[in-house]
Amino acid sequence: NAGVTQTPKFQVLKTGQSMTLQCAQDMNHNSMYWYRQDPGMGLRLIYYSASEGTTDKGEVPNGYNVSRLNKREFSLRLESAAPSQTSVYFCASSETRQGGSGRVQGEQFFGPGTRLTVL
Amino acid sequence: AQSVTQLGSHVSVSEGALVLLRCNYSSSVPPYLFWYVQYPNQGLQLLLKYTSAATLVKGINGFEAEFKKSETSFHLTKPSAHMSDAAEYFCAVRRRNTGFQKLVFGTGTRLLVSP
């Protein structure tokens, strides 16, 4: 049971290059998330997928796109990388189930992160 | 909008001393509250969470936090610091409303433990 896995662990890009960050979870969770972590700013939500087949913007979506490929996988794409996208990127997942009074969300489990540098 | 404020970007303690990391939330209705820990070069791990069952919440590794509605606080404490506690700690908040609610993180507090 690997939990949440992310590839690659490190990446260096030149301005304007594109790349896709991969994330997979083996906990059969419904919901998945992409965050970026910058010094002094905590974690900020980029995009999330509440359930398979849906994606929504978070706090800082500009310059990114996502794909919920299936229940297990949620990828983040940078179409034209910029130095401002230098950051550590974390993927997370959580169980979200239907309770009596609406959706009940469980704890978020995080991957180990991808450290991205854009030159 | 929901938010949390963590006072102090860095906290230094000696091994064996009390650890106190502060978190205040802004919300008219008591939200769900969480503390996460991040060890160097790793992802975040849940330490504990408040969901309303009890105001004093015990977590892993000897940490606990007390929800105080009158102070809108959820401070994290540990009676005796250990060298292995050196890490970054994040407080986070989520609305109690039905429907999908996002987790909002504070800016983090780095705990330094000296021998």
Side-chain angles (χ1 to χ4, degrees):
Chain A
N1 203 347
V4 180
T5 57
Q6 293 182 236
T7 55
K9 291 190 188 307
F10 302 94
Q11 184 72 49
V12 179
L13 293 177
K14 294 181 180 177
T15 297
Q17 286 185 315
S18 62
M19 79 160 295
T20 300
L21 281 65
Q22 306 286 355
C23 173
Q25 52 91 9
D26 62 2
M27 295 174 282
N28 202 36
H29 286 167
N30 297 328
S31 304
M32 298 185 74
Y33 315 79
W34 276 106
Y35 293 91
R36 60 178 289 173
Q37 183 181 27
D38 302 291
M41 303 191 75
L43 275 77
R44 293 180 292 169
L45 184 65
I46 304 171
Y47 270 93
Y48 65 98
S49 172
S51 60
E52 188 179 357
T54 69
T55 60
D56 284 286
K57 295 178 180 179
E59 184 184 355
V60 287
N62 291 345
Y64 305 95
N65 284 299
V66 291
S67 296
R68 182 77 183 265
L69 304 170
N70 47 55
K71 192 171 185 180
R72 288 187 64 247
E73 298 172 288
F74 189 39
S75 63
L76 178 71
R77 183 159 178 85
L78 286 69
E79 290 291 352
S80 178
S84 61
Q85 294 178 305
T86 294
S87 188
V88 182
Y89 291 85
F90 288 99
C91 178
S93 70
S94 70
E95 176 67 16
T96 303
R97 57 183 171 80
Q98 199 66 31
S101 57
R103 285 179 174 171
V104 177
Q105 293 164 245
E107 169 193 350
Q108 289 190 23
F109 291 82
F110 285 80
T114 294
R115 189 173 295 273
L116 175 67
T117 301
V118 183
L119 302 175
Chain B
Q2 301 270 294
S3 68
V4 287
T5 302
Q6 292 185 242
L7 294 174
S9 58
H10 292 80
V11 169
S12 295
V13 300
S14 299
E15 194 172 20
L18 171 72
V19 175
L20 171 60
L21 305 182
R22 299 178 186 274
C23 173
N24 288 86
Y25 67 90
S26 65
S27 174
S28 56
V29 176
Y32 295 130
L33 291 156
F34 307 81
W35 275 101
Y36 282 84
V37 60
Q38 183 181 31
Y39 298 104
N41 300 314
Q42 294 187 27
L44 277 70
Q45 178 183 1
L46 184 68
L47 268 181
L48 51 81
K49 60 184 178 183
Y50 168 72
T51 57
S52 83
T55 56
L56 183 62
V57 182
K58 294 188 184 299
I60 61 171
N61 302 337
F63 283 93
E64 62 182 37
E66 186 172 10
F67 173 73
K68 292 187 176 180
K69 184 179 177 181
S70 61
E71 299 177 8
T72 61
S73 69
F74 189 57
H75 302 331
L76 183 70
T77 60
K78 182 173 181 178
S80 176
H82 193 271
M83 296 295 290
S84 61
D85 295 326
E88 190 152 21
Y89 293 79
F90 293 93
C91 184
V93 64
R94 196 179 78 210
R95 278 202 182 106
R96 289 182 175 274
N97 297 18
T98 56
F100 195 84
Q101 301 297 332
K102 290 170 274 190
L103 195 59
V104 176
F105 286 88
T107 53
T109 298
R110 186 168 298 278
L111 177 66
L112 307 168
V113 183
S114 56

Coordinates of all heavy atoms in Angstrom, one line a residue, chain B residues 26-69:
Chain B
S26 N -10.5 32.2 11.9 CA -11.6 33.3 11.7 C -12.8 32.6 11.1 O -12.7 32.0 10.0 CB -11.1 34.4 10.8 OG -10.9 33.9 9.5
S27 N -13.9 32.5 11.8 CA -15.1 31.9 11.4 C -16.2 32.3 12.4 O -16.0 32.2 13.6 CB -14.9 30.4 11.3 OG -16.1 29.8 10.9
S28 N -17.4 32.5 11.9 CA -18.5 32.8 12.7 C -19.1 31.5 13.3 O -19.6 31.5 14.4 CB -19.6 33.6 12.0 OG -20.0 32.8 10.8
V29 N -18.9 30.4 12.6 CA -19.3 29.1 13.1 C -18.1 28.3 13.3 O -17.2 28.2 12.4 CB -20.2 28.4 12.1 CG1 -20.6 27.0 12.5 CG2 -21.4 29.3 11.8
P30 N -17.9 27.6 14.5 CA -16.7 26.8 14.7 C -16.5 25.8 13.6 O -17.4 25.0 13.2 CB -17.1 26.0 16.0 CG -18.0 27.0 16.7 CD -18.8 27.6 15.6
P31 N -15.4 25.8 12.9 CA -15.1 24.9 11.8 C -14.5 23.6 12.3 O -14.3 23.4 13.4 CB -14.1 25.8 11.0 CG -13.3 26.4 12.1 CD -14.3 26.7 13.2
Y32 N -14.1 22.8 11.3 CA -13.2 21.7 11.6 C -11.8 22.3 11.6 O -11.5 23.1 10.7 CB -13.3 20.6 10.5 CG -14.6 19.9 10.5 CD1 -15.3 19.7 9.3 CD2 -15.2 19.3 11.6 CE1 -16.5 19.1 9.2 CE2 -16.4 18.7 11.6 CZ -17.1 18.6 10.4 OH -18.3 17.9 10.3
L33 N -10.9 21.8 12.5 CA -9.6 22.3 12.6 C -8.6 21.1 12.6 O -8.9 20.1 13.1 CB -9.4 23.1 13.8 CG -10.1 24.4 13.8 CD1 -10.4 24.9 15.2 CD2 -9.4 25.5 13.1
F34 N -7.4 21.3 12.0 CA -6.4 20.3 11.8 C -5.0 20.9 12.1 O -4.8 22.0 11.9 CB -6.4 19.8 10.4 CG -7.8 19.4 9.9 CD1 -8.7 20.3 9.4 CD2 -8.1 18.0 9.8 CE1 -9.9 19.9 8.9 CE2 -9.3 17.6 9.4 CZ -10.3 18.5 8.9
W35 N -4.2 20.0 12.6 CA -2.7 20.2 12.6 C -2.0 19.2 11.8 O -2.3 18.0 12.0 CB -2.2 20.2 14.1 CG -2.3 21.5 14.8 CD1 -3.3 21.9 15.7 CD2 -1.5 22.7 14.7 NE1 -3.1 23.1 16.2 CE2 -2.0 23.7 15.5 CE3 -0.3 23.0 13.9 CZ2 -1.4 24.9 15.7 CZ3 0.2 24.2 14.1 CH2 -0.3 25.2 14.9
Y36 N -1.2 19.6 10.9 CA -0.3 18.7 10.1 C 1.1 19.0 10.4 O 1.5 20.1 10.8 CB -0.5 19.0 8.6 CG -1.8 18.4 8.0 CD1 -3.0 19.1 8.1 CD2 -1.8 17.2 7.4 CE1 -4.2 18.6 7.6 CE2 -2.9 16.7 6.8 CZ -4.1 17.3 6.9 OH -5.3 16.8 6.4
V37 N 2.0 18.0 10.3 CA 3.4 18.1 10.5 C 4.1 17.7 9.2 O 3.6 16.8 8.4 CB 3.9 17.2 11.6 CG1 3.7 15.8 11.4 CG2 5.4 17.5 11.9
Q38 N 5.1 18.5 8.8 CA 6.0 18.2 7.6 C 7.4 18.1 8.0 O 8.0 19.1 8.4 CB 5.8 19.3 6.6 CG 6.5 19.0 5.3 CD 6.4 20.1 4.3 OE1 6.3 21.3 4.6 NE2 6.4 19.7 3.0
Y39 N 7.9 16.9 7.9 CA 9.4 16.6 8.2 C 10.1 17.0 6.9 O 9.6 17.0 5.8 CB 9.6 15.2 8.6 CG 8.9 14.8 9.9 CD1 7.8 14.1 9.9 CD2 9.4 15.3 11.1 CE1 7.1 13.8 11.1 CE2 8.7 15.0 12.3 CZ 7.6 14.3 12.3 OH 6.9 14.0 13.5
P40 N 11.4 17.3 7.1 CA 12.2 17.8 5.9 C 12.1 16.9 4.7 O 12.2 15.6 4.9 CB 13.6 17.8 6.5 CG 13.5 18.1 7.9 CD 12.2 17.3 8.3
N41 N 11.8 17.5 3.6 CA 11.7 16.8 2.3 C 10.7 15.7 2.3 O 10.8 14.7 1.6 CB 13.1 16.1 1.9 CG 14.2 17.2 1.8 OD1 14.0 18.2 1.2 ND2 15.3 17.0 2.5
Q42 N 9.6 15.9 3.0 CA 8.5 14.9 3.0 C 7.2 15.7 2.8 O 7.1 16.9 2.9 CB 8.5 14.1 4.3 CG 9.6 13.2 4.5 CD 9.5 12.4 5.8 OE1 8.4 12.1 6.2 NE2 10.6 11.9 6.4
G43 N 6.1 14.9 2.6 CA 4.8 15.5 2.5 C 4.2 15.7 3.9 O 4.9 15.5 4.9
L44 N 3.0 16.2 4.0 CA 2.3 16.5 5.2 C 1.7 15.3 5.8 O 1.1 14.4 5.1 CB 1.3 17.6 5.0 CG 1.8 19.0 5.0 CD1 2.6 19.3 3.8 CD2 0.6 20.0 5.1
Q45 N 1.7 15.2 7.1 CA 1.1 14.1 7.9 C 0.1 14.7 8.9 O 0.5 15.6 9.6 CB 2.2 13.3 8.5 CG 1.7 12.1 9.3 CD 2.9 11.4 10.0 OE1 4.0 11.8 9.9 NE2 2.6 10.3 10.8
L46 N -1.0 14.1 9.0 CA -2.0 14.6 10.0 C -1.6 14.3 11.4 O -1.3 13.1 11.7 CB -3.4 14.0 9.7 CG -4.5 14.5 10.7 CD1 -4.8 16.0 10.4 CD2 -5.8 13.7 10.5
L47 N -1.5 15.3 12.3 CA -1.2 15.1 13.7 C -2.4 14.9 14.5 O -2.5 14.0 15.4 CB -0.5 16.4 14.3 CG 1.0 16.5 14.3 CD1 1.4 17.8 14.9 CD2 1.6 15.3 15.0
L48 N -3.4 15.7 14.3 CA -4.7 15.6 15.0 C -5.7 16.5 14.3 O -5.4 17.3 13.5 CB -4.5 16.0 16.5 CG -3.8 17.4 16.8 CD1 -4.8 18.5 16.6 CD2 -3.2 17.3 18.2
K49 N -7.0 16.3 14.7 CA -8.1 17.1 14.2 C -9.2 17.3 15.2 O -9.4 16.4 16.1 CB -8.7 16.4 12.9 CG -9.2 15.0 13.2 CD -9.7 14.3 11.9 CE -10.2 12.9 12.1 NZ -10.6 12.2 10.9
Y50 N -9.9 18.4 15.1 CA -11.0 18.8 15.9 C -12.3 18.7 15.1 O -12.4 19.5 14.1 CB -10.8 20.2 16.5 CG -12.1 20.7 17.2 CD1 -12.6 20.1 18.3 CD2 -12.9 21.7 16.5 CE1 -13.8 20.6 18.9 CE2 -14.0 22.1 17.1 CZ -14.5 21.6 18.3 OH -15.7 22.0 18.8
T51 N -13.2 17.9 15.5 CA -14.5 17.8 14.7 C -15.7 18.0 15.6 O -16.8 17.9 15.2 CB -14.6 16.4 14.0 OG1 -14.5 15.4 15.0 CG2 -13.5 16.2 13.0
S52 N -15.5 18.4 16.9 CA -16.5 18.8 17.8 C -16.8 17.8 18.9 O -17.5 18.0 19.8 CB -17.8 19.2 17.1 OG -18.6 18.1 16.8
A53 N -16.2 16.6 18.8 CA -16.5 15.6 19.8 C -16.0 16.0 21.2 O -16.7 15.8 22.2 CB -16.0 14.2 19.4
A54 N -14.8 16.5 21.2 CA -14.2 16.9 22.5 C -13.3 18.1 22.2 O -12.6 18.2 21.2 CB -13.3 15.8 23.1
T55 N -13.2 19.0 23.2 CA -12.4 20.2 22.9 C -10.9 20.0 23.0 O -10.1 20.7 22.5 CB -12.8 21.4 23.8 OG1 -12.7 20.9 25.2 CG2 -14.3 21.8 23.5
L56 N -10.5 19.0 23.8 CA -9.1 18.6 24.0 C -8.9 17.4 23.1 O -9.5 16.4 23.3 CB -8.8 18.4 25.4 CG -7.3 18.0 25.7 CD1 -6.4 19.2 25.3 CD2 -7.1 17.6 27.1
V57 N -8.0 17.6 22.1 CA -7.8 16.5 21.1 C -6.4 16.0 21.3 O -5.4 16.8 21.3 CB -8.0 17.1 19.7 CG1 -7.8 16.0 18.7 CG2 -9.4 17.7 19.5
K58 N -6.3 14.7 21.4 CA -4.9 14.1 21.4 C -4.6 13.6 20.1 O -5.4 13.0 19.4 CB -4.9 13.0 22.5 CG -5.1 13.6 23.9 CD -4.9 12.5 24.9 CE -5.3 13.0 26.4 NZ -4.4 14.1 26.7
G59 N -3.3 13.8 19.7 CA -2.8 13.3 18.5 C -1.7 12.3 18.6 O -1.4 11.8 19.7
I60 N -0.9 12.2 17.5 CA 0.2 11.3 17.5 C 1.4 11.9 18.1 O 1.5 13.2 18.2 CB 0.5 10.8 16.1 CG1 0.9 11.9 15.2 CG2 -0.7 10.0 15.5 CD1 1.4 11.5 13.8
N61 N 2.4 11.1 18.5 CA 3.7 11.6 19.0 C 3.6 12.5 20.2 O 4.5 13.3 20.5 CB 4.5 12.4 17.9 CG 4.7 11.5 16.7 OD1 4.7 10.3 16.7 ND2 4.9 12.2 15.5
G62 N 2.5 12.4 21.0 CA 2.4 13.1 22.3 C 1.9 14.5 22.2 O 1.8 15.2 23.1
F63 N 1.5 14.9 21.0 CA 0.9 16.2 20.8 C -0.6 16.3 21.1 O -1.3 15.3 21.0 CB 1.1 16.7 19.3 CG 2.5 17.1 19.0 CD1 3.4 16.2 18.5 CD2 2.9 18.4 19.2 CE1 4.7 16.6 18.2 CE2 4.1 18.9 18.9 CZ 5.1 17.9 18.4
E64 N -1.0 17.4 21.6 CA -2.5 17.6 21.8 C -2.8 19.1 21.5 O -1.9 19.9 21.4 CB -2.9 17.3 23.2 CG -2.2 18.0 24.3 CD -2.7 17.5 25.7 OE1 -2.9 16.3 25.8 OE2 -2.9 18.4 26.5
A65 N -4.1 19.4 21.3 CA -4.5 20.7 21.0 C -5.9 20.9 21.6 O -6.7 20.0 21.8 CB -4.6 21.0 19.5
E66 N -6.1 22.2 22.1 CA -7.4 22.5 22.7 C -8.1 23.5 21.9 O -7.6 24.6 21.6 CB -7.1 23.0 24.1 CG -8.4 23.2 24.9 CD -8.2 23.5 26.4 OE1 -7.1 23.8 26.8 OE2 -9.2 23.5 27.1
F67 N -9.4 23.2 21.6 CA -10.2 24.1 20.9 C -10.9 25.1 21.9 O -11.5 24.6 22.9 CB -11.3 23.4 20.1 CG -12.4 24.2 19.5 CD1 -12.1 25.0 18.4 CD2 -13.7 24.3 20.1 CE1 -13.1 25.8 17.8 CE2 -14.6 25.2 19.5 CZ -14.3 25.9 18.4
K68 N -10.7 26.4 21.7 CA -11.3 27.4 22.6 C -12.1 28.3 21.8 O -11.6 29.2 21.1 CB -10.2 28.1 23.4 CG -9.5 27.3 24.4 CD -8.6 28.1 25.3 CE -7.9 27.3 26.4 NZ -7.0 28.0 27.2
K69 N -13.4 28.1 21.8 CA -14.3 29.0 21.0 C -14.2 30.4 21.4 O -14.2 31.3 20.5 CB -15.7 28.5 21.1 CG -16.7 29.2 20.3 CD -18.1 28.6 20.5 CE -19.1 29.4 19.6 NZ -20.5 28.8 19.8

